[in-house]
Amino acid sequence: MFTRMAKLRLLNAVAPAYFFMATVITFILYFCLFLPTIFPGVDNTLKGSTTLHVLAFLFLMFNALGNYIMTIKYPAESANESNVPVCSPHCSDKVDAHYLLNGRHFCKLCKKVILKRDHHCFFTGNCIGNKNMRYFIMFCIYTSCTCLYSLVLGVAFLTVEYSISFENPLTFLTLLPLSTGDFFMGTVSGLQLFLVLMLYVWLGIGLVCAGFCCQQVLLVARGQTWCQLQRGELVNSLSPWKNNLKDVFGTAGS
């Protein structure tokens, strides 16, 4: 148990650093490589298109970062409980948290009592519950869109700069191993290999965030949490799915 908790605490510290590093790298690549190469700005007719691309990228990026900050700023902890509860030796939950009463969980990583705990997000370093669920879902949506948008621009940059064709569907599957082999043979530059690697990073993060988003929206609509699903608890919500979504996302103007 101690070894597993140590691994979870290490992951809880490394994951946010990984997210910020990927964000900074994406920002630098977009403005220093993708934008000048794909949209050189020689023709005045491209200025409108370039402006739209910049605005779209900044919109997605700042919304992702904004919801990330809001997820951390509004934790799901219970403000009325300051005492750390003692975990029962017969606790059936996983090592990172255990169930108390009335939908409350004690997270051993946060060391706080969480209201309607869904799961512990390592990328934000805190638990996702009733207070920050909507920010977490919006964070997943905008992060997924930002990564997939960066993926498209990365493919366009490699096509323009290195004449790599992606017409064959198998190109993307074999691009990384072939580029790695060519790098060690000295026929591919380190920058090209790094950009190819970033394509897979963007694809991976984008698909994971999209999957998280779909899962969380489905659970919210059912009035259920991931903790309840893991414990095998079937929740028969008396509220319609629209009301369950309103409880998390609020109404227009709220």
Side-chain angles (χ1 to χ4, degrees):
M1 179 179 292
F2 175 79
T3 303
R4 183 175 180 181
M5 281 300 299
K7 292 180 180 179
L8 291 176
R9 294 188 186 281
L10 178 62
L11 180 61
N12 201 46
V14 172
Y18 169 79
F19 171 77
F20 278 111
M21 183 176 63
T23 301
V24 172
I25 291 175
T26 301
F27 198 85
I28 294 174
L29 289 178
Y30 181 83
F31 284 100
C32 295
L33 288 181
F34 297 166
L35 199 62
T37 303
I38 302 175
F39 306 101
V42 177
D43 192 351
N44 292 330
T45 59
L46 295 178
K47 288 186 178 180
S49 178
T50 304
T51 302
L52 289 177
H53 276 278
V54 172
L55 292 177
F57 177 78
L58 293 178
F59 175 80
L60 295 174
M61 178 70 78
F62 284 120
N63 271 282
L65 292 176
N67 283 282
Y68 178 86
I69 294 173
M70 296 295 282
T71 303
I72 301 174
K73 183 178 179 181
Y74 293 99
E77 64 185 90
S78 174
N80 300 323
E81 301 181 67
S82 57
N83 296 327
V84 178
V86 179
C87 183
S88 168
H90 305 290
C91 175
S92 60
D93 282 358
K94 290 187 175 183
V95 68
D96 62 321
H98 67 270
Y99 177 73
L100 299 177
L101 290 172
N102 302 322
R104 293 150 53 250
H105 285 76
F106 173 69
C107 178
K108 298 178 183 178
L109 292 173
C110 297
K111 295 183 178 180
K112 297 175 183 177
V113 177
I114 309 299
L115 297 175
K116 295 183 180 180
R117 181 183 189 268
D118 188 88
H119 67 282
H120 184 91
C121 176
F122 292 99
F123 284 102
T124 61
N126 65 351
C127 280
I128 307 301
N130 66 327
K131 293 182 180 180
N132 56 3
M133 175 59 75
R134 64 174 175 175
Y135 300 118
F136 175 75
I137 293 177
M138 296 307 297
F139 161 69
C140 289
I141 292 175
Y142 283 111
T143 301
S144 178
C145 292
T146 303
C147 288
L148 296 180
Y149 176 69
S150 301
L151 173 65
V152 172
L153 290 182
V155 169
F157 177 83
L158 290 175
T159 302
V160 173
E161 188 70 14
Y162 297 103
S163 301
I164 299 178
S165 175
F166 290 86
E167 294 182 358
N168 189 340
L170 297 178
T171 300
F172 200 85
L173 297 178
T174 59
L175 184 60
L176 181 59
L178 292 178
S179 298
T180 303
D182 292 339
F183 171 75
F184 286 106
M185 293 178 62
T187 57
V188 166
S189 65
L191 177 60
Q192 182 177 343
L193 177 62
F194 178 74
L195 291 173
V196 170
L197 180 61
M198 286 302 300
L199 294 185
Y200 290 87
V201 171
W202 288 322
L203 178 63
I205 296 178
L207 293 179
V208 168
C209 287
F212 263 119
C213 177
C214 295
Q215 171 187 279
Q216 295 305 134
V217 171
L218 178 61
L219 290 175
V220 168
R222 294 168 56 184
Q224 192 176 24
T225 65
W226 178 248
C227 279
Q228 292 172 331
L229 189 65
Q230 282 187 315
R231 289 170 61 86
E233 297 179 5
L234 297 177
V235 177
N236 295 322
S237 179
L238 300 179
S239 301
W241 63 270
K242 291 183 179 179
N243 291 343
N244 291 332
L245 292 177
K246 287 181 181 179
D247 289 339
V248 172
F249 294 99
T251 55
S254 63

